[in-house]
Amino acid sequence: MDYPTIEDKIIDDGRISDWLATQMVATRDVDPCKALEDVKKLKVILDKRVDRLLIERKTFKTKVDLNAIDF
């Protein structure tokens, strides 16, 4: 099966991360609809991870009062 030249150019020119380039190659034999559903699931997981990190950072900032420490 021939793949679009533009896809190979994107992989080769370094515009995307190595991880994403690997995923593009790995999913060539996967039904595009199935791959897209998996990407949507991954997005939900990553969004939740980012939300958790933001909450943890805010919690740390509010619980640590460096002005209260007597140097």
Side-chain angles (χ1 to χ4, degrees):
M1 182 182 258
D2 291 331
Y3 292 94
T5 305
I6 188 69
E7 184 178 313
D8 290 326
K9 285 182 181 178
I10 291 169
I11 290 170
D12 293 340
D13 74 6
R15 287 188 277 171
I16 59 175
S17 69
D18 291 339
W19 179 84
L20 183 53
T22 302
Q23 303 315 306
M24 287 173 64
V25 172
T27 58
R28 283 182 171 172
D29 295 329
V30 176
D31 172 31
C33 292
K34 172 69 172 115
L36 188 56
E37 285 302 313
D38 287 345
V39 168
K40 289 176 183 177
K41 290 175 187 175
L42 178 59
K43 183 184 181 322
V44 170
I45 292 166
L46 292 176
D47 284 344
K48 288 180 181 181
R49 187 182 299 169
V50 168
D51 289 346
R52 188 187 74 237
L53 289 173
L54 290 173
I55 290 169
E56 288 173 358
R57 288 180 187 150
K58 287 178 183 177
T59 301
F60 178 76
K61 286 180 183 177
T62 58
K63 291 191 177 199
V64 176
D65 182 4
L66 295 178
N67 293 329
I69 299 173
D70 185 13
F71 291 102

